[in-house]
Amino acid sequence: MERTYVMVKPDGVQRNLIGEIIFRFEKKGLKIVGLKMMQISRELAERHYGEHRGKPFFEPLVEYITSGPVVAMALEGKDAVSTAREMMGATNPLKAAQGTIRGTFGMDIGRNVVHGSDSTESAARELGLFFAPGELVEYKRELDSWIYE
């Protein structure tokens, strides 16, 4: 099974969307193997968005993601990265399909409610940034036999 990283961003937390977002991933069949609310430090934000350093939107991005608490999630399932990305919708909520998380709740590209890893490589990197060794759990979920062949 594949793992991915998903974050409910500060706007999603402030808008009371945490439960709705978790609900959607769980109902799809993805298994939560790590979950925590946290305040991202500037140092962690700069590491997380490191590939954008030097771009004009880097500083506003760091300021935004550190402006309030977030919910960090580690999700597991078959094709978890692509499944979560599809459920979130396009980065720009105005271009996201209706019914996706961003298409349903987002109005502005800078306040698009969620972040999700875009590849298995970035998932591994981001999970390592937001979860310490031992924080992700392994468990058998009886329901899996009703989700996967």
Side-chain angles (χ1 to χ4, degrees):
M1 289 291 155
E2 188 174 272
R3 286 187 173 171
T4 193
Y5 175 71
V6 172
M7 176 189 349
V8 180
K9 294 179 178 181
D11 58 315
V13 172
Q14 292 294 327
R15 293 178 57 200
N16 299 316
L17 296 173
I18 299 166
E20 173 70 27
I21 292 167
I22 292 172
F23 174 82
R24 287 176 176 225
F25 288 119
E26 281 192 305
K27 290 303 170 196
K28 179 67 174 178
L30 292 170
K31 180 168 72 171
I32 297 172
V33 296
L35 179 69
K36 63 181 172 181
M37 180 175 260
M38 62 187 292
Q39 180 72 45
I40 297 179
S41 68
R42 180 170 184 85
E43 182 224 348
L44 177 56
E46 288 180 357
R47 287 174 46 214
H48 178 62
Y49 290 121
E51 71 271 15
H52 301 302
R53 189 179 303 279
K55 296 178 182 169
F57 58 87
F58 177 75
E59 189 58 37
L61 191 57
V62 169
E63 287 179 21
Y64 161 65
I65 207 67
T66 60
S67 68
V70 302
V71 173
M73 285 185 273
L75 303 175
E76 184 177 275
K78 184 178 178 186
D79 300 316
V81 172
S82 60
T83 299
R85 299 278 303 170
E86 184 74 23
M87 291 177 67
M88 289 186 295
T91 303
N92 183 341
L94 300 179
K95 294 181 179 176
Q98 227 9 273
T100 63
I101 294 168
R102 291 174 176 149
T104 301
F105 301 114
M107 289 291 293
D108 187 271
I109 195 166
R111 300 289 183 268
N112 63 8
V113 183
V114 290
H115 163 83
S117 301
D118 62 4
S119 67
T120 54
E121 296 77 21
S122 67
R125 183 182 73 78
E126 291 173 336
L127 288 168
L129 286 173
F130 289 91
F131 291 94
E135 285 189 314
L136 301 184
V137 297
E138 301 275 344
Y139 64 100
K140 182 177 176 11
R141 190 174 62 173
E142 299 302 324
L143 180 65
D144 284 346
S145 66
W146 296 102
I147 298 173
Y148 303 110
E149 289 187 279

